[in-house]
Amino acid sequence: MRFAILADIHANRQALDSCLAHLGGQRIDRIIFLGDMLGYGADPHWVLDQMRGHIARGMADALLGNHEEAVLSAKPSGMNTAAEAAIAWQRSRLAEDERAFIASLPMMIAHEGVEFVHADPAAPARWTYVTDAEVAAQSLKGAKAAITFCGHVHRPALYAANGNGKAIAFRPPANEPVPLLASRRWLAVLGAVGQPRDGNAAACYGILDTATAECTWQRVAYDVEAAAAAIRAAGLPDSLATRLMRGE
């Protein structure tokens, strides 16, 4: 089975549209939306409509991210000022059916022995960032599957654990399949569709082929200037627009 795995879309219509067009030519069987479809960007309704449409057609699953939790909550989210401004703007505009959809999302799902979660699989509700091998080792100890996918970090990474419980960090190449050997346990951290932070402005999503046990981190160019212009037109903080141009 071939999965397309999309994390951290962040209401970026242009990035999601380009990724959906790209994966349309990749023989994908199912799409997994790994959470944080909201926050930062200017097109939350369009992004939610796309996700809900794929789910309604039986083509996709979606997870709850910390930005969705923040939109639903009246409490401060602990985010920076710009992120809080985007959350407040989106919270005031979402319809009741959109809120109900978000509230129904799970924190973790599994398909074919593979787990999918937005953040740390050992404690999904804590929203821990898996940023290095030490954190990844603890995450892998708490993961139930041999292969787990997460987002949240906005930078592509891959961690492998062997019998001693330590994790080894890899930087996956773009657009090349990486074998996930059965002799190890794996935690694959996807880059972001809508707000990459690895210095590359191109959107990033993953393709997992369970038949070959390979994962590919796909980079997809999109109209970054249009996404930035939409943020500015919405009156959101300019920093949310400028960081898209730099991939940070």
Side-chain angles (χ1 to χ4, degrees), residues 29-102:
D29 299 302
R30 194 163 193 83
I31 301 173
I32 309 293
F33 295 102
L34 280 192
D36 274 8
M37 66 283 291
L38 300 179
Y40 299 130
D43 288 287
H45 305 296
W46 189 90
V47 168
L48 288 174
D49 283 348
Q50 290 296 310
M51 294 179 59
R52 294 169 73 183
H54 281 83
I55 292 169
R57 293 191 293 275
M59 300 168 59
D61 298 285
L63 296 173
L64 185 79
N66 58 300
H67 282 252
E68 284 77 61
E69 183 181 69
V71 165
L72 294 175
S73 175
K75 300 177 182 178
S77 64
M79 298 175 180
N80 63 42
T81 302
E84 285 279 12
I87 290 295
W89 183 80
Q90 293 177 5
R91 184 187 293 131
S92 69
R93 285 162 174 77
L94 291 186
E96 284 304 314
D97 64 309
E98 292 173 320
R99 290 173 180 271
F101 166 71
I102 293 167

Side-chain angles (χ1 to χ4, degrees), residues 57-225:
R57 293 191 293 275
M59 300 168 59
D61 298 285
L63 296 173
L64 185 79
N66 58 300
H67 282 252
E68 284 77 61
E69 183 181 69
V71 165
L72 294 175
S73 175
K75 300 177 182 178
S77 64
M79 298 175 180
N80 63 42
T81 302
E84 285 279 12
I87 290 295
W89 183 80
Q90 293 177 5
R91 184 187 293 131
S92 69
R93 285 162 174 77
L94 291 186
E96 284 304 314
D97 64 309
E98 292 173 320
R99 290 173 180 271
F101 166 71
I102 293 167
S104 72
L105 297 174
M107 285 195 170
M108 181 180 287
I109 58 172
H111 284 288
E112 297 201 355
V114 179
E115 283 190 347
F116 303 92
V117 63
H118 178 66
D120 174 13
R126 293 182 185 174
W127 309 120
T128 301
Y129 290 88
V130 182
T131 54
D132 57 38
E134 184 176 354
V135 179
Q138 295 302 311
S139 295
L140 284 162
K141 287 178 182 178
K144 299 178 180 64
I147 301 174
T148 304
F149 282 84
C150 72
H152 198 43
V153 181
H154 293 226
R155 295 186 298 274
L158 179 63
Y159 300 96
N162 51 27
N164 62 15
K166 294 183 179 180
I168 303 169
F170 300 92
R171 183 168 183 175
N175 308 319
E176 295 180 18
V178 177
L180 306 179
L181 303 178
S183 57
R184 294 177 172 178
R185 302 180 76 242
W186 299 91
L187 179 61
V189 184
L190 296 175
V193 170
Q195 197 192 79
R197 295 178 185 169
D198 62 341
N200 184 348
C204 185
Y205 79 96
I207 295 177
L208 170 66
D209 190 325
T210 58
T212 61
E214 293 178 328
C215 181
T216 306
W217 279 256
Q218 295 284 353
R219 299 311 291 247
V220 181
Y222 74 96
D223 193 341
V224 181
E225 292 186 359

